[in-house]
Amino acid sequence: MADGKKSKSATACGYPISIFFIVVNEFCERFSYYGMRAVLVLYFKYFLRWDDDFATTIYHTFVALCYLTPILGAIVADSWLGKFKTIVYLSIVYTLGQIVMAISAIHDITDSNKDGIPDNMTFHVALSMVGLILIALGTGGIKPCVAAFGGDQFEDHQEKQRSTFFSIFYLSINAGSLLSTVITPILRAQECGIHTQQKCYPLAFGVPAALMVVALIVFIVGSGMYNKTAPQGNIIVQVCKCIGFAIKNRFRHRAREHPCRTHWMDWAEEKYDKLLIAQVKMVLKVLFLYIPLPMFWALFDQQGSRWTLQATTMDGDFGALIIQPDQMQTVNPILILVLVPIMDSLVYPLISKCKLNFSPLKRMTVGMFLAALAFIAAALVQIQIDQTLPKFPSSTVGQAKFINMVNRALNINAGPNSFTLESYKANEEYFNFNGPFKLNLGSGNAFLGNIPAGTRATIVIIQDGTKPRPTQFRDIKSKPEQGTNAIRFLNGFGSVLNATVGTLEFGNTITNNMSEYISVPQGNAQFHIRDNSGQECVYTQKLGFGSSYTLIIPPTFAFGPNCENSIQPVVDIKPNTIHMAWQIPQYFLITAGEVVFSVTGLEFSYSQAPSNMKSVLQAGWLLTVAVGNIIVLIVAEAATLPDQWAEYILFASLLILVCIIFAVMAYFYTYLDPAKIEAEFAHEEPEDKEKRKSLEMAKKDSVEHHKEDRRSSDSSSDEEETKQTKI
């Protein structure tokens, strides 16, 4: 209500009906946020064509902004608009941001030549940045308001119902997060478009935008049922003013004649109550412990960036289930639902029975250590992945492989390389060439070969009359994107052939020529090969993730029942062979670390915080997440490590170092009883108030006397000047 008083709201089973709208709103909002965030780094990499480092930088800049804006939202809600209006207004901003993101992902808007690639990438980048800024303002701004607004719906005698509400509220957060990280990657993997079919980022962003619209509508519909408290001032602002005054007052009295005080916050006693000063001291003591914590979040939030990018180079075939790289993030919320009850009902009670002092700060230290182990595990996985990745040519070297389309074996000398190549076969590996080289095909057939530096090529040796002759074709020099497979045909048949797979067409390929590469998804691909007379051959090739094949149709090929047996697949780039399941150990370790670190950290903070300053520590906690993401973007841009596994080890090492520092800080920390300390200052003695009032009056009198003396001095000076003028 406008007057700040609570009205009697309708109830069902002892609960206010209004909380239904709040829980549904939170579920939809969390689905919207985590769904969009799950596919964000792949959108940067594959749609906006950013490299891994820059995509990681922008991703973590966005996450940092999302955790910086809650402070702004809390101040606006408590000091100006109130929680209800803040949620509504910022949800509108949030919804607009999601809609702008969905529009930015429509490639057809600027694809004038209809090739599937936007022609004006600057337009899409600008829209994306506007959308992300609006989303960060919206999701961060409402973050501190929604849960508190839900708590406001209960009367003082509904303590049990309020506790149950918060359990349901946080369940809705996890449910929204889990479902969105499963669904939106599936939507992204679909293909859509007006002129050309591409990965459906507009749908992956559009569904979260629609859920945000639903969240806003549901919240507004319940407006008439809410208890709306008027803004009563923000405690964060009050704490900052108190700290600022103490610092300013200490600076003014820095001379030696002023006696020292027990604590630097005691310099605020001239203006603020001792109770508030004592509460601020307790908060500052906890905030000091927060200083090392951002390093944990620097590692934790890389699940959505570096770890997702790592998964793009892995095998996601789980039998009947194909897992997309961004779907691996679902392991985290699933493990949270499993590990939280296990920790609370089994691990902690067992440690307690063993008479071990596993204090909250010790738990947090263990959580940080587990996160460091997770990155060591990620580094070990990355080392295995790197061993399976192809070695693409550098800027000074060219690479080539050979295919023999002659009906006899050939002894080939290519520069320093000598080998025998059977008919209709290819050598498995690429050879490196530093410049022009002699190519000898035997029987006096010598040619001069040249592979441009930084390129890959296939040299096809065909029969030209009675002699073999080499023909050079350019190969792709990077892994196929988004887990697809680059496939092309080499037509050695005596007539033009046309090949299709699904709705994709390779086009007409003439004799002794190659088709263009076509991106084919994972699975058992069926290729339909036809000639001009309508004869057809169906060839099936099992495709993994990220491979490249040249399918050789030899001169001996003939249409018929067993036509597919004569087609020879040549592997240009091997498929991903390290399975995504190898990421599960690192996800388990990071999630176990989160459960031990994050849940315990919030519990510890609340136990050490004064009753009216829980929100200050909540803001400080969110700030550590923001700073952690800033650390990631600094390392991603500043570190010049050549290998990704080395960066993982760097982060693990930094966290272990911080973990040791935190353990030392925790060792010297003295646990407080805020309720007891507050009780000591709750009733300030009258003489203390009188003393402070006397000090204020004395200060005021001193200022007045000083002004009076100045006026007297100025008057005497004026009279003297007047006398001199007259003389």
Side-chain angles (χ1 to χ4, degrees):
M1 307 296 288
D3 59 2
K5 294 180 180 179
K6 284 190 174 184
S7 62
K8 186 71 176 179
S9 58
T11 61
C13 301
Y15 293 87
I17 294 177
S18 56
I19 66 168
F20 165 79
F21 299 96
I22 296 171
V23 169
V24 173
N25 166 271
E26 184 66 11
F27 169 82
C28 294
E29 188 275 326
R30 289 291 86 185
F31 186 106
S32 178
Y33 173 73
Y34 283 108
M36 177 277 304
R37 184 172 143 176
V39 301
L40 188 59
V41 76
L42 297 186
Y43 170 73
F44 291 157
K45 179 180 175 66
Y46 296 126
F47 187 92
L48 299 183
R49 302 288 172 177
W50 291 345
D51 61 49
D52 289 1
D53 286 343
F54 192 62
T56 299
T57 297
I58 300 301
Y59 174 88
H60 287 284
T61 302
F62 166 71
V63 176
L65 192 58
C66 289
Y67 284 94
L68 285 172
T69 49
I71 298 174
L72 178 64
I75 293 172
V76 169
D78 292 343
S79 304
W80 182 28
L81 292 177
K83 297 184 186 73
F84 175 76
K85 287 183 179 179
T86 301
I87 294 170
V88 171
Y89 293 161
L90 290 181
S91 291
I92 293 172
V93 173
Y94 192 168
T95 304
L96 289 174
Q98 291 283 30
I99 293 171
V100 169
M101 276 299 295
I103 295 172
S104 75
I106 302 175
H107 67 273
D108 291 301
I109 293 177
T110 63
D111 186 15
S112 56
N113 58 2
K114 302 178 183 180
D115 64 349
I117 300 174
D119 298 324
N120 187 359
M121 194 63 77
T122 304
F123 172 81
H124 294 274
V125 171
L127 273 186
S128 300
M129 295 304 100
V130 170
L132 290 176
I133 290 171
L134 293 176
I135 291 169
L137 288 173
T139 187
I142 69 175
K143 193 185 292 289
C145 301
V146 180
F149 186 70
D152 289 345
Q153 307 309 304
F154 295 87
E155 303 291 337
D156 293 338
H157 65 276
Q158 293 179 303
E159 216 34 67
K160 183 179 179 182
Q161 288 90 335
R162 183 186 284 113
S163 176
T164 304
F165 159 74
F166 282 118
S167 297
I168 297 172
F169 183 83
Y170 289 112
L171 179 63
S172 71
I173 293 175
N174 285 310
S177 168
L178 178 60
L179 288 176
S180 65
T181 49
V182 171
I183 294 172
T184 51
I186 295 174
L187 299 177
R188 178 196 61 80
Q190 307 305 307
E191 294 191 344
C192 60
I194 300 173
H195 305 302
T196 57
Q197 299 291 300
Q198 302 293 330
K199 295 297 181 184
C200 206
Y201 289 100
L203 184 61
F205 290 139
V207 169
L211 263 291
M212 197 56 224
V213 172
V214 172
L216 178 59
I217 292 173
V218 168
F219 188 75
I220 293 175
V221 166
S223 176
M225 303 180 189
Y226 297 139
N227 288 322
K228 304 170 188 173
T229 56
Q232 298 175 347
N234 188 271
I235 190 65
I236 297 175
V237 175
Q238 192 176 358
V239 169
C240 291
K241 286 181 178 179
C242 183
I243 293 172
F245 179 80
I247 294 172
K248 186 169 65 174
N249 197 32
R250 178 68 183 92
F251 182 76
R252 281 203 304 256
H253 297 83
R254 63 187 181 277
R256 291 185 177 180
E257 60 265 22
H258 299 289
C260 295
R261 300 187 183 182
T262 307
H263 191 281
W264 62 270
M265 274 304 302
D266 292 334
W267 288 96
E269 288 181 352
E270 283 83 351
K271 186 174 180 180
Y272 294 93
D273 292 338
K274 287 186 177 180
L275 174 60
L276 177 63
I277 294 171
Q279 291 171 330
V280 173
K281 287 179 183 178
M282 288 186 278
V283 166
L284 290 175
K285 190 173 183 180
V286 177
L287 290 179
F288 178 72
L289 276 179
Y290 281 4
I291 292 174
L293 303 190
M295 201 64 224
F296 173 87
W297 299 113
L299 276 68
F300 178 81
D301 276 336
Q302 290 189 59
Q303 294 175 79
S305 57
R306 290 298 196 198
W307 286 13
T308 298
L309 293 172
Q310 183 186 62
T312 63
T313 59
M314 303 178 77
D315 180 8
D317 188 355
F318 284 77
L321 193 62
I322 302 299
I323 299 296
Q324 300 296 326
D326 34 7
Q327 282 183 309
M328 283 302 293
Q329 297 174 58
T330 60
V331 175
N332 175 255
I334 290 172
L335 286 175
I336 285 177
L337 296 175
V338 173
L339 289 178
V340 168
I342 290 177
M343 289 290 186
D344 288 341
S345 60
L346 184 62
V347 176
Y348 293 153
L350 187 61
I351 292 174
S352 180
K353 284 187 177 181
C354 294
K355 307 296 183 183
L356 296 175
N357 181 23
F358 199 38
S359 65
L361 293 179
K362 289 180 180 177
R363 294 183 195 178
M364 293 174 68
T365 306
V366 170
M368 297 169 81
F369 183 70
L370 288 173
L373 289 181
F375 265 62
I376 293 173
L380 294 175
V381 171
Q382 189 64 48
I383 290 171
Q384 297 302 313
I385 291 173
D386 290 346
Q387 292 175 354
T388 66
L389 295 177
K391 300 294 186 289
F392 292 109
S394 66
S395 58
T396 59
V397 174
Q399 292 182 338
K401 70 189 309 182
F402 297 83
I403 297 178
N404 180 12
M405 294 296 285
V406 179
N407 59 359
R408 66 182 186 278
L410 292 175
N411 294 316
I412 300 174
N413 292 295
N417 308 293
S418 299
F419 54 95
T420 300
L421 200 56
E422 297 296 327
S423 180
Y424 315 132
K425 298 290 184 181
N427 54 307
E428 292 185 1
E429 302 296 332
Y430 282 84
F431 296 112
N432 290 330
F433 297 97
N434 294 315
F437 61 93
K438 287 185 178 181
L439 177 61
N440 194 327
L441 303 179
S443 304
N445 295 305
F447 302 87
L448 183 64
N450 185 25
I451 309 298
T455 65
R456 270 189 163 196
T458 294
I459 297 176
V460 179
I461 303 169
I462 61 175
Q463 190 71 35
D464 185 11
T466 59
K467 296 181 179 180
R469 175 174 59 84
T471 303
Q472 185 172 306
F473 298 93
R474 188 67 61 88
D475 294 1
I476 61 172
K477 57 176 183 177
S478 62
K479 288 279 283 185
E481 295 181 346
Q482 306 190 62
T484 59
N485 303 272
I487 310 297
R488 64 180 176 179
F489 279 89
L490 170 58
N491 181 14
F493 191 57
S495 67
V496 176
L497 295 177
N498 179 281
T500 60
V501 53
T503 59
L504 304 174
E505 294 188 5
F506 290 85
N508 292 326
T509 307
I510 62 175
T511 303
N512 292 330
N513 212 331
M514 280 201 189
S515 68
E516 295 294 327
Y517 281 106
I518 295 292
S519 293
V520 183
Q522 180 273 346
N524 290 317
Q526 284 195 334
F527 299 91
H528 296 263
I529 305 165
R530 304 179 183 87
D531 64 3
N532 290 334
S533 65
Q535 297 184 89
E536 181 179 82
C537 177
V538 179
Y539 172 75
T540 302
Q541 176 71 42
K542 181 175 176 60
L543 300 175
F545 293 85
S547 66
S548 177
Y549 286 87
T550 298
L551 302 179
I552 301 175
I553 302 177
T556 56
F557 172 81
F559 288 96
N562 298 313
C563 61
E564 69 276 7
N565 293 337
S566 60
I567 298 176
Q568 301 293 321
V570 174
V571 179
D572 298 330
I573 297 176
K574 294 178 181 179
N576 303 340
T577 55
I578 304 299
H579 204 276
M580 283 186 195
W582 283 106
Q583 279 196 323
I584 293 177
Q586 66 200 56
Y587 271 101
F588 176 82
L589 288 169
I590 200 84
T591 306
E594 178 192 8
V595 170
V596 177
F597 176 88
S598 183
V599 176
T600 305
L602 286 171
E603 176 189 336
F604 164 77
S605 301
Y606 273 56
S607 71
Q608 298 295 288
S611 57
N612 63 334
M613 294 194 181
K614 310 292 187 185
S615 61
V616 178
L617 288 183
Q618 178 68 17
W621 185 264
L622 295 175
L623 191 61
T624 65
V625 181
V627 175
N629 281 272
I630 293 171
I631 291 172
V632 179
L633 66 93
I634 291 172
V635 172
E637 286 298 310
T640 56
L641 299 173
D643 299 308
Q644 184 57 51
W645 66 264
E647 184 180 293
Y648 289 144
I649 294 296
L650 173 63
F651 274 108
S653 302
L654 289 174
L655 185 56
I656 290 175
L657 176 63
V658 168
C659 183
I660 294 170
I661 295 171
F662 182 77
V664 173
M665 293 171 66
Y667 178 80
F668 290 102
Y669 181 84
T670 305
Y671 286 84
L672 304 173
D673 185 352
K676 184 178 179 180
I677 295 173
E678 286 177 320
E680 294 176 2
F681 292 93
H683 303 288
E684 192 180 48
E685 294 187 13
E687 55 266 28
D688 290 336
K689 288 186 177 181
E690 288 297 328
K691 183 179 179 182
R692 188 170 65 253
K693 190 179 293 184
S694 299
L695 285 171
E696 291 174 356
M697 291 298 294
K699 183 179 178 182
K700 185 176 180 181
D701 290 342
S702 175
V703 171
E704 289 297 327
H705 287 309
H706 181 65
K707 288 181 179 178
E708 191 64 36
D709 291 341
R710 287 284 303 274
R711 282 197 292 268
S712 300
S713 175
D714 292 344
S715 176
S716 300
S717 177
D718 290 343
E719 287 179 11
E720 184 64 30
E721 288 178 6
T722 304
K723 288 178 182 177
Q724 291 177 0
T725 303
K726 287 179 180 178
I727 292 171

